[in-house]
């Protein structure tokens, strides 16, 4: 895949995710339908990379990788408001139990930032959740997880608040794309600020009046399918999401100054620029019974855990090209909190 990792091209039907009980009761015809759908949507355009037709890339992991992922799961937050070492600048929907979300999306800026060391990480992401269940997708620099300082596509899943997992290590996750695996490395753009679109959404069965679905990760403007999670992994998220957020996160051990969120330039309401700061745009969600019509989220609020060091600006509806836009960034430097 051109990033120094080792990926095995595994027969689509023999990938580890199909060992999950959800898929054991799934017919071959259903799996074949997923494969065909993946092929149909996967003309992503990264020519010369990826796996041959009929196979998918599965990252080869060893015992050290598993230990690193476990350590990261132990420090990863379950509560945004009280997690030492974690710092946020996000736009989030207010928590209404009666709200039902079928999906969320946005373009996310990709910055090959520096200043992330050892056990620190930074991530630009979007999250859909319900209760103690959540699915996060985004782009991260995470040396503990990936053993380098490259910007990578990643996912993080929380199940009932107790089980956490990353990328293809999540139980039941099925890789669809033959070109882009989770952990894919974003190639340098020579310092230019570049964006990529992500969507987490239900993929509904085509049976008449069916309520069967899979939580699905899409990428690129063409909404190419990267992979699926079975809904039976979750508790409340097995039916729908009811809260979402978009923005940035950084983490640093308490004995180290926290790193910059992006470029390190703190955005202000009266002074911000997408050229110089991390940002997300075309922020949208699909509410239940709207036929997956993605619209700007309603009833939102900004949350920043450390506004003097990391900040977020909601620019609202910027124009027809950007739609709903948020800018988030900051220099970091917090130690012991």
């Amino acid at each position: 895949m051109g990033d120094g990792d080792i990926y095995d091209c595994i027969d689509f039907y023999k990938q580890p995710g199909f060992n999950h009980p959800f898929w054991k009761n799934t017919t071959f015809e259903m799996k074949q339908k997923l494969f065909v759908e993946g092929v149909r949507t996967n003309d992503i355009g990264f020519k010369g990379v990826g796996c041959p037709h009929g196979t998918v890339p599965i990252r080869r992991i060893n015992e050290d990788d598993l230990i690193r992922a476990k350590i990261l799961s132990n420090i990863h937050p379950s509560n945004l408001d009280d997690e030492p070492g974690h710092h946020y600048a996000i736009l989030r929907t207010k928590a209404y139990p009666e709200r039902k979300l079928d999906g969320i999306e946005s373009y996310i800026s990709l910055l090959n930032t520096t200043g992330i060391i050892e056990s620190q990480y930074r991530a630009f992401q979007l999250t859909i959740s319900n209760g103690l269940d959540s699915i996060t997708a985004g782009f991260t620099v995470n040396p503990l997880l990936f053993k380098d300082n490259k910007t990578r596509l990643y996912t993080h899943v929380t199940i009932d608040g107790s089980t956490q997992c990353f990328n293809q290590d999540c139980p039941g996750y099925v890789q669809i794309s033959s070109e882009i695996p989770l952990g894919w490395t974003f190639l340098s753009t020579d310092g230019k600020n570049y964006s990529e679109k992500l969507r987490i959404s239900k993929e509904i069965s085509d049976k008449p009046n069916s309520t069967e679905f899979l939580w699905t990760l899409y990428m690129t403007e063409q909404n190419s399918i990267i992979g699926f999670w079975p809904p039976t992994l979750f508790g409340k998220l097995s039916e729908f999401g009811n809260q979402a957020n978009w923005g940035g996160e950084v983490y640093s051990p308490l004995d180290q100054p926290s790193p910059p969120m992006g470029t390190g330039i703190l955005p202000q309401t009266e002074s911000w620029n997408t050229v110089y700061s991390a940002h997300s745009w075309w922020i949208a969600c699909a509410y239940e019974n709207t036929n997956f019509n993605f619209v700007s989220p309603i009833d939102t609020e900004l949350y920043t855990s450390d506004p003097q060091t990391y900040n977020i600006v909601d620019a609202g509806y910027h124009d027809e090209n950007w739609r709903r836009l948020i800018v988030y960034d900051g220099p970091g430097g917090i130690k012991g909190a």
Side-chain angles (χ1 to χ4, degrees), residues 209-279:
N209 302 316
S210 175
T211 59
E212 297 177 358
F213 74 93
L214 298 167
W215 283 114
T216 307
L217 175 64
Y218 305 82
M219 182 173 149
T220 76
E221 291 184 0
Q222 292 75 36
N223 291 324
S224 299
I225 296 176
I226 304 300
F228 297 112
W229 298 271
T232 53
L233 282 179
F234 305 101
K236 292 184 177 181
L237 198 57
S238 64
E239 299 181 18
F240 54 85
N242 77 338
Q243 194 167 16
N245 68 67
W246 300 258
E249 175 191 356
V250 300
Y251 168 77
S252 183
L254 299 184
D255 61 347
Q256 300 175 13
S258 61
M261 183 167 284
T263 64
I265 299 175
L266 191 72
Q268 302 292 343
T269 302
E270 68 284 353
S271 177
W272 55 266
N273 193 319
T274 57
V275 174
Y276 304 117
S277 295
H279 57 280

Side-chain angles (χ1 to χ4, degrees), residues 73 76-79 127-136 155-166 170-171 229 233-238:
S73 292
H76 208 275
S78 57
N79 182 347
T127 301
I128 188 167
S129 61
N130 191 339
L132 298 176
D133 299 321
S134 65
I135 302 173
T136 295
T155 61
H156 174 257
V157 171
T158 302
I159 303 168
D160 286 334
S162 58
T163 300
Q164 299 189 55
C165 55
F166 293 89
C170 288
W229 298 271
L233 282 179
F234 305 101
K236 292 184 177 181
L237 198 57
S238 64

